[in-house]
């Protein structure tokens, strides 16, 4: 099977929306410092673009998780591949995700992080597919709600490819 990628959200549109969300975050965290947590690898591009536009002081940390189960369906049990370098105690923590799909990964991850006593814990995602939700998760900032399509680009991959595309595209599978 070969695949083609069709542009769905062009770079300018994504960046404009990220600027809006950054403005909102800067207002909400006025007078505070926000500790951004990037969930590798998909969220890297989004976090960089967002962080550059936030005007309150920002610190960052990175973690890598993998979901037990097969590639297409997350089980909701998250294995920490790379943990955070710093404790969350007393910090205003904002988790940055590329996409919320079933919600399983995020609800599990937020539960783990909440036990580390952050002062506050919120979630910001580039994309959300609300139709696909299986586990309830409260998303504080969403750049785009999208339909139930498989998307790549802006950090998101298909079999580790396409993360570097500057836009969000829909993968179209075609039979050879
Ligand atoms: P959830 O536990 O089902 O919410 O899993 C979310 C994770 O699945 C995301 O962090 C992505 O790694 C992956 N994922 C879900 N939908 C897509 C998609 O359309 N393209 C690329 N990765 C996706
Ligand atoms: Mg992810």
């Amino acid at each position: 099977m070969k695949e083609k990628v069709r542009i769905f959200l062009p770079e300018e549109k994504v960046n404009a929306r990220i600027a809006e969300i950054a403005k909102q975050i800067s207002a909400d965290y006025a007078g505070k410092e926000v500790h951004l947590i990037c969930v590798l690898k998909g969220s890297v591009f989004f976090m960089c673009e967002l962080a550059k536009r936030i005007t309150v002081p920002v610190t960052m940390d990175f973690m890598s998780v993998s979901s037990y189960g097969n590639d297409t369906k997350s089980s909701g049990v998250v294995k920490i591949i790379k943990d955070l370098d710093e404790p969350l105690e007393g910090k205003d923590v904002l988790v940055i995700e590329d996409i919320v799909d079933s919600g399983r990964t995020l609800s599990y991850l937020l539960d783990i992080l909440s036990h580390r006593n952050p002062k506050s814990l919120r979630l910001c995602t580039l994309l959300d597919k609300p139709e696909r939700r299986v586990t309830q998760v409260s998303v504080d900032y969403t750049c785009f709600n999208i339909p139930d399509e498989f998307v790549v680009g802006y950090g998101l991959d298909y079999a580790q490819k396409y993360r570097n595309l500057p836009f969000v595209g829909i993968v179209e599978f075609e039979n050879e």
Side-chain angles (χ1 to χ4, degrees), residues 2 8 13 42 54 57 69 88 94 98 100 134 145 151 154:
K2 266 192 73 177
F8 177 60
K13 193 169 169 182
I54 293 176
L88 299 183
L94 184 58
D98 49 359
V100 185
V134 172
N145 281 318
V151 290
Y154 226 96

Side-chain angles (χ1 to χ4, degrees), residues 98-161:
D98 49 359
I99 188 163
V100 185
D101 186 35
S102 72
R104 287 187 178 104
T105 311
L106 255 298
S107 67
Y108 195 85
L109 185 63
L110 289 172
D111 185 55
I112 293 174
L113 298 181
S114 69
H115 287 94
R116 298 184 184 185
N117 300 321
K119 189 157 139 216
S120 67
L121 180 62
R122 285 182 176 171
L123 173 62
C124 174
T125 188
L126 177 63
L127 306 171
D128 189 350
K129 292 183 194 170
E131 286 170 50
R132 299 258 305 166
R133 200 72 90 253
V134 172
T135 306
Q136 196 269 331
V137 43
S138 109
V139 186
D140 301 282
Y141 304 97
T142 304
C143 291
F144 300 96
N145 281 318
I146 62 165
D148 181 11
E149 301 270 9
F150 197 83
V151 290
V152 293
Y154 226 96
L156 290 136
D157 75 301
Y158 168 64
Q160 296 303 324
K161 289 189 294 183

Side-chain angles (χ1 to χ4, degrees), residues 39-43 65 96-100 105-106 156 163:
V39 186
L40 296 168
K41 305 170 182 137
S43 309
V65 299
I96 310 296
E97 250 295 18
D98 49 359
I99 188 163
V100 185
T105 311
L106 255 298
L156 290 136
R163 290 193 195 275

Side-chain angles (χ1 to χ4, degrees), residues 71-110:
D71 283 350
T72 51
K73 194 168 161 283
S74 64
S75 62
V77 179
V78 172
K79 181 174 153 195
I80 298 179
I81 306 290
K82 184 224 169 291
D83 206 342
L84 299 169
D85 291 336
E86 289 157 62
L88 299 183
E89 179 106 42
K91 292 181 181 155
D92 288 302
V93 174
L94 184 58
V95 176
I96 310 296
E97 250 295 18
D98 49 359
I99 188 163
V100 185
D101 186 35
S102 72
R104 287 187 178 104
T105 311
L106 255 298
S107 67
Y108 195 85
L109 185 63
L110 289 172

